[in-house]
Amino acid sequence: MALPLPPGLIPTEVAFLCEMEMITIVPRQRLESMSLLSGKTPALRPPHRAQVPLWLALLLKKQRRANIVAPPWLYPDSLKDIINHETNVDPEAFSPPPPPPTRSDGRGAARPYGQQSDPRDGDVVLSPPFLPSCTQDAPAGYLPYHWLELSETLLAHAADDVPSAAEVRALLRDLQEVRAAKMRGSTVHLDGGGGVLNLRGVGAMELAESRGFVLGVVEGVRKLGASAEASRREEEEEGARGEGRDESDDEMGF
């Protein structure tokens, strides 16, 4: 008999999905285009930069055939700005996600990334986390959807390509602690069963790691609310029975 699967994605599955994020590399050798399930990869021509999936970038890095370009949000100055926003600017909420990038349509106007030049009804317009937010063109000061697992992967397998890797590790540790405390503290809004958690800006790995804790809090609040409701109904029933006895006593002249 198969064991029941836990609700949602587990951290290992989130890390696997993160490997599909597009990232910028600087090839050191020529490599022709390859046909993959997700499409063809660009032909690599040193020293021209290219965007490939993270798993392919790590493979080429391991073979010393390419160097990885760290995204702008992984630089120390950008992480310091994000930590300042999390702790001083808005201590209650999470830092906002990166804004959707725009591309020129060749006619002097800009349109959202992934949208056709002549949009029609039914066209799919991509939005985070389905946008290339980990390439060299990503905006600084914003954490993408897979920020935690991608930064850990780069520091583990391509630390020499991350500027000031030791400082970045320390900043990421501080940022993770601040956001984890916010995630735990946000459960106070669930008191009474009518609260709503604002998860705007929360990353995929943060959701996977905090899902069990949040679901436990929700279940505990639900049980407390159910017991309080049961106690209230019992008091109302006892009060109604007491009033009925008083009325019968009055009618009998006692």
Side-chain angles (χ1 to χ4, degrees):
M1 180 178 178
L3 296 176
L5 295 176
L9 297 175
I10 60 178
T12 53
E13 294 172 337
V14 173
F16 174 78
L17 294 177
C18 174
E19 294 183 358
M20 297 304 297
E21 283 281 346
M22 301 298 292
I23 198 166
T24 304
I25 64 170
V26 179
R28 304 174 64 178
Q29 296 179 1
R30 295 172 62 91
L31 183 65
E32 299 300 328
S33 177
M34 296 182 297
S35 297
L36 304 176
L37 292 177
S38 57
K40 289 188 176 182
T41 62
L44 304 183
R45 298 291 184 269
H48 300 288
R49 299 185 176 187
Q51 296 181 8
V52 297
L54 176 61
W55 68 266
L56 181 56
L58 295 176
L59 178 62
L60 296 175
K61 173 66 178 180
K62 184 178 180 180
Q63 297 175 350
R64 299 182 180 180
R65 304 175 70 178
N67 290 334
I68 296 178
V69 179
W73 54 265
L74 197 54
Y75 283 69
D77 292 340
S78 177
L79 293 176
K80 291 178 182 178
D81 293 339
I82 297 174
I83 293 177
N84 178 66
H85 185 280
E86 295 271 359
T87 56
N88 299 324
V89 178
D90 195 351
E92 300 296 330
F94 297 91
S95 58
T102 57
R103 285 184 174 180
S104 174
D105 59 359
R107 302 174 183 176
R111 56 186 175 84
Y113 181 91
Q115 186 181 39
Q116 302 296 331
S117 57
D118 52 344
R120 299 180 295 272
D121 293 339
D123 286 349
V124 177
V125 180
L126 299 180
S127 62
F130 307 104
L131 287 173
S133 55
C134 298
T135 62
Q136 65 174 358
D137 299 326
Y142 297 94
L143 293 177
Y145 189 60
H146 289 287
W147 71 272
L148 181 55
E149 54 272 32
L150 188 136
S151 59
E152 291 180 348
T153 301
L154 291 183
L155 290 173
H157 301 283
D160 56 328
D161 290 335
V162 178
S164 304
E167 184 180 3
V168 168
R169 280 193 180 93
L171 292 173
L172 286 173
R173 191 181 305 111
D174 295 341
L175 181 60
Q176 187 177 2
E177 292 176 356
V178 170
R179 292 170 66 91
K182 284 187 178 184
M183 179 66 75
R184 293 190 298 268
S186 61
T187 56
V188 298
H189 301 293
L190 299 176
D191 188 15
V196 178
L197 285 179
N198 182 13
L199 300 179
R200 183 174 184 266
V202 181
M205 186 62 72
E206 294 172 301
L207 291 175
E209 293 177 346
S210 303
R211 180 177 287 108
F213 170 74
V214 174
L215 292 180
V217 172
V218 172
E219 182 66 16
V221 171
R222 186 190 65 80
K223 291 180 179 180
L224 290 176
S227 61
E229 180 67 17
S231 301
R232 185 184 64 82
R233 290 181 179 179
E234 291 179 359
E235 293 177 356
E236 291 180 353
E237 292 176 357
E238 292 179 357
R241 287 194 296 266
E243 292 179 357
R245 287 194 299 268
D246 294 340
E247 291 177 357
S248 60
D249 292 343
D250 293 339
E251 292 175 357
M252 298 178 64
F254 291 107

